[in-house]
Amino acid sequence: MKKITIILLGFIALLAVSCDKDDHLAPDKSKYVYDIPQTDLPVDAIVGAYYTNITSSSSWLKSGKKIYAGTPLLGEYLSTTSGVLQQQLAWADEAALDFLIVTWDAASADNTLITNFKSVRTATNAKVRLVINYNTKHLKVSNDKPFQEEENLNKMINDFTNTLVPLFNDEAYYKMNGRPVILITPSNLSSSALKSIDYSLVIPALKKAVSELGYDLYTIGEFTTGWVAPVNYEEHQIASFDGVTVNDWSTNMYDRYYAFFSFVDLNWANWKTTISKWNTDFVPCIFPSYNDRINSTSSYKYTFGQDGETADYINFCNVAKRNIGSKNIVLVNSWNNYQKGTNLEPTEENKSEFLKITRNQFKK
């Protein structure tokens, strides 16, 4: 027993000598929790905002109860209501937005919105333009019938040839140095559909078809959820695009609540650095505010920017500028998604403050 005791004491002493107590201290909090400084860009950023096409009163009320945050100055409107688009385009110009992003998946309501947008823009001499977010869901691809098969690929190319390329000809469509900007979603495929799209085959085929009609597309792949590191995706989901964006940074984790903006900043720095090896641009996407708890009473996601408060939106703008890609594009999610409380559009609580901040932060 005496021998065993001596051996144990010697082992403990050896551990004490070999381990520096500093190795076991808590991480340096300042590396993860820090203030976001005001950051100025040398040139204007290109700024777009996601537009929610509101086609039904169900976007505002469920069983007669309000399901949205904030009080829109336009009331509980539909996008087709007379005067709504006219006012929205004027506000978009006030914010110096370059474009509004409209989702397109071959639905008739999408085409109606595009037609109305063009006519209202012409009638009012608005400056803001239009960008399409092409949603692949209407093609109904699957692992067994993937996108890159000729039939599905031809459907997509026909969508562009018959509907979208003619839109590129219109002065209302946003083009970056002559290149029509197009978003394609989703770039993050569900676990049950990982083989349904190989973007390394789809995007080159699309670009070739559109180039034969006279246009060089600038494609942005849209990831619809944040916080997953880019190394967790297949190369084709990122490298096939000119740029990628992640449009949702909502979170229900306490550590991200505690240091939301510095955690986003670290995450975006990782995205930008990682995807640069494929010459793919990182396109930051920011919330003006966030509150989905009225629409989803069980939600406990991080909320900010309520009742007209603007400091967090300024922080988010500066995180975007610290991580902006080479093409200087920033997206705002959203213009008018009141169900998630992310609206840039003026409310009774905020008036035009978010519009002013957007212009001041991104335009010289």
Side-chain angles (χ1 to χ4, degrees), residues 218 220-221 223 228-231 233-235 237-246 267-284 323-326:
Y218 183 86
I220 300 175
F223 289 78
V228 177
V231 295
Y233 294 109
E234 296 291 332
E235 180 178 337
Q237 294 173 272
I238 296 173
S240 307
F241 297 95
D242 297 294
V244 296
T245 193
V246 188
N267 197 300
W268 286 2
N270 178 50
W271 266 89
K272 184 178 178 180
T273 301
T274 302
I275 70 177
S276 65
K277 68 182 179 182
W278 294 309
N279 294 317
T280 302
D281 229 22
F282 181 63
V283 180
N323 297 283
I324 199 166
S326 64

Coordinates of all heavy atoms in Angstrom, one line a residue, residues 218 220-221 223 228-231 233-235 237-246 267-284 323-326:
Y218 N -25.4 37.2 -63.4 CA -24.7 37.2 -62.1 C -25.6 36.4 -61.1 O -26.7 36.9 -60.8 CB -24.4 38.6 -61.5 CG -23.6 38.6 -60.3 CD1 -22.2 38.5 -60.3 CD2 -24.3 38.5 -59.0 CE1 -21.5 38.4 -59.1 CE2 -23.5 38.5 -57.8 CZ -22.1 38.4 -57.9 OH -21.4 38.3 -56.7
I220 N -26.7 34.5 -57.7 CA -26.5 34.4 -56.2 C -27.3 33.2 -55.7 O -28.5 33.1 -55.9 CB -27.0 35.7 -55.5 CG1 -26.3 36.9 -56.0 CG2 -26.9 35.5 -54.0 CD1 -26.8 38.2 -55.4
G221 N -26.6 32.2 -55.1 CA -27.3 31.1 -54.5 C -27.8 31.5 -53.1 O -27.0 32.0 -52.3
F223 N -29.0 30.5 -49.4 CA -29.1 29.5 -48.3 C -30.2 30.1 -47.4 O -30.1 31.3 -47.0 CB -27.8 29.4 -47.6 CG -26.8 28.6 -48.4 CD1 -26.0 29.2 -49.4 CD2 -26.5 27.3 -48.1 CE1 -25.1 28.5 -50.1 CE2 -25.6 26.6 -48.8 CZ -24.9 27.2 -49.8
V228 N -25.0 27.4 -40.0 CA -24.3 26.2 -40.4 C -23.0 26.6 -41.2 O -23.1 27.4 -42.1 CB -25.1 25.3 -41.3 CG1 -24.4 24.1 -41.8 CG2 -26.4 24.9 -40.6
A229 N -21.8 26.1 -40.8 CA -20.6 26.6 -41.4 C -20.6 26.1 -42.9 O -21.1 25.0 -43.2 CB -19.4 26.0 -40.7
P230 N -19.9 26.9 -43.8 CA -19.9 26.5 -45.2 C -19.2 25.1 -45.5 O -19.5 24.5 -46.5 CB -19.2 27.6 -45.9 CG -18.4 28.3 -44.8 CD -19.2 28.1 -43.5
V231 N -18.3 24.7 -44.6 CA -17.6 23.4 -44.8 C -18.6 22.2 -44.7 O -18.3 21.1 -45.2 CB -16.5 23.2 -43.8 CG1 -15.4 24.2 -44.1 CG2 -17.0 23.2 -42.4
Y233 N -21.4 22.0 -46.3 CA -22.1 21.9 -47.6 C -21.2 21.3 -48.7 O -20.0 21.4 -48.6 CB -22.6 23.3 -48.1 CG -23.7 23.9 -47.1 CD1 -23.4 25.0 -46.3 CD2 -24.9 23.3 -47.1 CE1 -24.3 25.5 -45.5 CE2 -25.9 23.9 -46.2 CZ -25.6 25.0 -45.4 OH -26.5 25.5 -44.6
E234 N -21.9 20.7 -49.7 CA -21.1 20.2 -50.8 C -20.6 21.4 -51.6 O -21.2 22.5 -51.7 CB -22.1 19.4 -51.7 CG -22.6 18.2 -51.1 CD -21.6 17.1 -50.8 OE1 -20.6 17.1 -51.6 OE2 -21.7 16.3 -49.9
E235 N -19.5 21.2 -52.3 CA -18.8 22.3 -53.0 C -19.7 22.9 -54.1 O -19.8 24.1 -54.3 CB -17.5 21.7 -53.7 CG -16.8 22.8 -54.5 CD -15.5 22.2 -55.1 OE1 -14.9 21.2 -54.6 OE2 -15.0 22.8 -56.1
Q237 N -22.8 23.4 -54.1 CA -23.8 24.2 -53.6 C -23.3 25.7 -53.4 O -24.2 26.6 -53.2 CB -24.4 23.7 -52.2 CG -25.1 22.4 -52.4 CD -25.4 21.8 -51.0 OE1 -24.6 21.1 -50.4 NE2 -26.6 22.1 -50.5
I238 N -22.1 25.9 -53.4 CA -21.5 27.2 -53.2 C -20.7 27.6 -54.4 O -20.9 28.7 -55.0 CB -20.5 27.2 -52.0 CG1 -21.3 26.9 -50.7 CG2 -19.8 28.5 -51.9 CD1 -20.5 26.7 -49.5
A239 N -19.8 26.8 -54.9 CA -18.8 27.2 -55.9 C -19.5 27.4 -57.3 O -18.9 28.1 -58.2 CB -17.7 26.1 -56.1
S240 N -20.7 26.9 -57.5 CA -21.3 27.0 -58.8 C -21.9 28.4 -59.0 O -22.1 28.8 -60.2 CB -22.5 26.0 -58.9 OG -22.1 24.7 -58.6
F241 N -22.0 29.2 -58.0 CA -22.6 30.6 -58.1 C -21.5 31.7 -58.0 O -20.4 31.5 -57.5 CB -23.5 30.8 -56.9 CG -24.7 29.8 -56.9 CD1 -24.6 28.7 -56.1 CD2 -25.8 30.1 -57.6 CE1 -25.7 27.8 -56.1 CE2 -26.9 29.2 -57.6 CZ -26.8 28.1 -56.9
D242 N -21.9 32.8 -58.6 CA -21.0 34.0 -58.5 C -20.9 34.5 -57.1 O -19.9 35.0 -56.6 CB -21.5 35.1 -59.4 CG -21.5 34.7 -60.9 OD1 -20.4 34.5 -61.4 OD2 -22.6 34.5 -61.5
G243 N -22.1 34.4 -56.4 CA -22.1 34.8 -55.0 C -23.1 33.9 -54.2 O -23.9 33.3 -54.8
V244 N -23.0 33.9 -52.9 CA -24.0 33.2 -52.1 C -24.4 34.2 -50.9 O -23.7 35.0 -50.5 CB -23.5 31.9 -51.5 CG1 -23.2 30.9 -52.6 CG2 -22.3 32.1 -50.6
T245 N -25.7 34.0 -50.5 CA -26.2 34.7 -49.4 C -26.9 33.7 -48.4 O -27.4 32.7 -48.9 CB -27.2 35.8 -49.8 OG1 -27.4 36.7 -48.7 CG2 -28.5 35.3 -50.3
V246 N -27.0 34.1 -47.2 CA -27.7 33.3 -46.2 C -28.7 34.3 -45.6 O -28.4 35.3 -45.0 CB -26.8 32.8 -45.1 CG1 -27.6 31.8 -44.2 CG2 -25.6 32.0 -45.7
N267 N -19.1 34.5 -37.7 CA -19.6 33.5 -38.7 C -19.5 34.0 -40.1 O -19.0 33.3 -41.0 CB -21.1 33.3 -38.3 CG -21.7 32.1 -39.0 OD1 -21.7 32.0 -40.2 ND2 -22.2 31.2 -38.1
W268 N -19.7 35.3 -40.3 CA -19.6 35.8 -41.7 C -18.2 35.9 -42.1 O -17.9 35.7 -43.3 CB -20.3 37.2 -41.8 CG -21.8 37.1 -41.8 CD1 -22.5 36.0 -41.7 CD2 -22.7 38.2 -41.9 NE1 -23.9 36.3 -41.7 CE2 -24.0 37.6 -41.8 CE3 -22.5 39.6 -42.0 CZ2 -25.1 38.4 -41.9 CZ3 -23.7 40.4 -42.1 CH2 -25.0 39.8 -42.0
A269 N -17.3 36.2 -41.2 CA -15.9 36.2 -41.6 C -15.4 34.8 -42.0 O -14.6 34.7 -43.0 CB -15.0 36.7 -40.4
N270 N -15.9 33.8 -41.4 CA -15.6 32.4 -41.8 C -16.2 32.1 -43.1 O -15.5 31.5 -44.0 CB -16.2 31.5 -40.7 CG -15.9 30.0 -41.1 OD1 -14.8 29.6 -41.4 ND2 -16.9 29.2 -41.1
W271 N -17.4 32.5 -43.4 CA -18.1 32.3 -44.7 C -17.2 33.0 -45.8 O -16.9 32.4 -46.8 CB -19.5 32.9 -44.7 CG -20.5 31.9 -44.4 CD1 -21.0 31.5 -43.2 CD2 -21.2 31.0 -45.3 NE1 -22.0 30.6 -43.2 CE2 -22.1 30.2 -44.6 CE3 -21.2 30.8 -46.7 CZ2 -23.0 29.3 -45.1 CZ3 -22.0 29.9 -47.3 CH2 -22.9 29.1 -46.5
K272 N -16.9 34.2 -45.6 CA -16.2 35.0 -46.6 C -14.9 34.4 -46.9 O -14.5 34.2 -48.1 CB -16.1 36.4 -46.2 CG -15.4 37.3 -47.2 CD -15.3 38.8 -46.7 CE -14.6 39.7 -47.7 NZ -14.5 41.1 -47.3
T273 N -14.1 34.0 -45.9 CA -12.8 33.4 -46.1 C -12.9 32.1 -46.8 O -12.1 31.8 -47.7 CB -12.1 33.3 -44.7 OG1 -12.0 34.6 -44.2 CG2 -10.7 32.7 -44.9
T274 N -13.8 31.2 -46.3 CA -13.9 29.9 -46.8 C -14.3 29.8 -48.3 O -13.7 29.1 -49.1 CB -14.9 29.1 -46.0 OG1 -14.5 29.1 -44.6 CG2 -15.1 27.6 -46.5
I275 N -15.3 30.6 -48.7 CA -15.8 30.5 -50.0 C -14.9 31.3 -51.1 O -15.1 31.1 -52.3 CB -17.3 30.9 -50.2 CG1 -17.4 32.4 -50.0 CG2 -18.1 30.2 -49.2 CD1 -18.9 32.9 -50.1
S276 N -14.0 32.1 -50.5 CA -13.2 32.8 -51.5 C -12.3 31.9 -52.3 O -11.8 32.3 -53.4 CB -12.3 33.8 -50.7 OG -11.4 33.2 -49.8
K277 N -12.0 30.7 -51.8 CA -11.1 29.8 -52.5 C -11.8 29.3 -53.8 O -11.1 28.8 -54.7 CB -10.8 28.6 -51.6 CG -11.9 27.7 -51.3 CD -11.5 26.5 -50.3 CE -12.6 25.6 -50.0 NZ -12.2 24.6 -49.0
W278 N -13.1 29.5 -53.9 CA -13.9 29.1 -55.1 C -14.2 30.4 -55.9 O -15.0 30.3 -56.9 CB -15.2 28.4 -54.8 CG -15.0 27.1 -54.1 CD1 -14.2 26.1 -54.6 CD2 -15.6 26.6 -52.9 NE1 -14.3 25.0 -53.8 CE2 -15.1 25.3 -52.7 CE3 -16.5 27.1 -52.0 CZ2 -15.5 24.5 -51.6 CZ3 -16.8 26.3 -50.9 CH2 -16.3 25.0 -50.7
N279 N -13.6 31.5 -55.5 CA -13.9 32.8 -56.2 C -15.4 33.1 -56.1 O -16.0 33.7 -57.1 CB -13.4 32.8 -57.6 CG -11.9 32.7 -57.7 OD1 -11.2 33.4 -56.9 ND2 -11.4 31.9 -58.6
T280 N -16.0 32.7 -55.0 CA -17.5 33.0 -54.8 C -17.6 34.2 -53.8 O -17.0 34.1 -52.8 CB -18.2 31.8 -54.3 OG1 -18.0 30.7 -55.3 CG2 -19.7 32.0 -54.1
D281 N -18.4 35.1 -54.2 CA -18.6 36.3 -53.3 C -19.5 36.0 -52.2 O -20.6 35.4 -52.4 CB -19.1 37.4 -54.2 CG -18.4 38.7 -54.0 OD1 -17.2 38.7 -53.6 OD2 -19.0 39.8 -54.4
F282 N -19.2 36.6 -51.0 CA -20.2 36.5 -49.9 C -21.1 37.7 -49.9 O -20.6 38.8 -50.0 CB -19.5 36.4 -48.5 CG -20.4 36.3 -47.4 CD1 -21.3 35.2 -47.3 CD2 -20.5 37.3 -46.4 CE1 -22.2 35.0 -46.2 CE2 -21.4 37.1 -45.4 CZ -22.2 36.0 -45.3
V283 N -22.4 37.5 -49.9 CA -23.3 38.6 -49.9 C -24.1 38.6 -48.6 O -25.0 37.8 -48.3 CB -24.4 38.4 -51.1 CG1 -25.4 39.5 -51.1 CG2 -23.6 38.3 -52.4
P284 N -23.7 39.5 -47.7 CA -24.3 39.6 -46.3 C -25.8 39.9 -46.5 O -26.3 40.6 -47.4 CB -23.6 40.7 -45.6 CG -22.4 41.0 -46.4 CD -22.7 40.6 -47.8
N323 N -18.0 42.6 -43.6 CA -17.8 41.3 -44.3 C -18.3 41.3 -45.7 O -18.5 40.2 -46.3 CB -18.6 40.2 -43.5 CG -18.0 40.0 -42.1 OD1 -17.0 39.4 -41.9 ND2 -18.7 40.6 -41.1
I324 N -18.5 42.5 -46.3 CA -19.0 42.6 -47.6 C -18.1 42.0 -48.7 O -16.9 42.1 -48.5 CB -19.4 44.1 -47.9 CG1 -20.4 44.2 -49.1 CG2 -18.1 44.9 -48.2 CD1 -21.0 45.6 -49.2
G325 N -18.6 41.4 -49.7 CA -17.8 40.8 -50.8 C -17.3 41.8 -51.8 O -17.6 43.0 -51.7
S326 N -16.6 41.3 -52.8 CA -15.9 42.2 -53.7 C -16.9 43.0 -54.6 O -16.5 44.0 -55.2 CB -15.0 41.3 -54.6 OG -15.7 40.4 -55.4

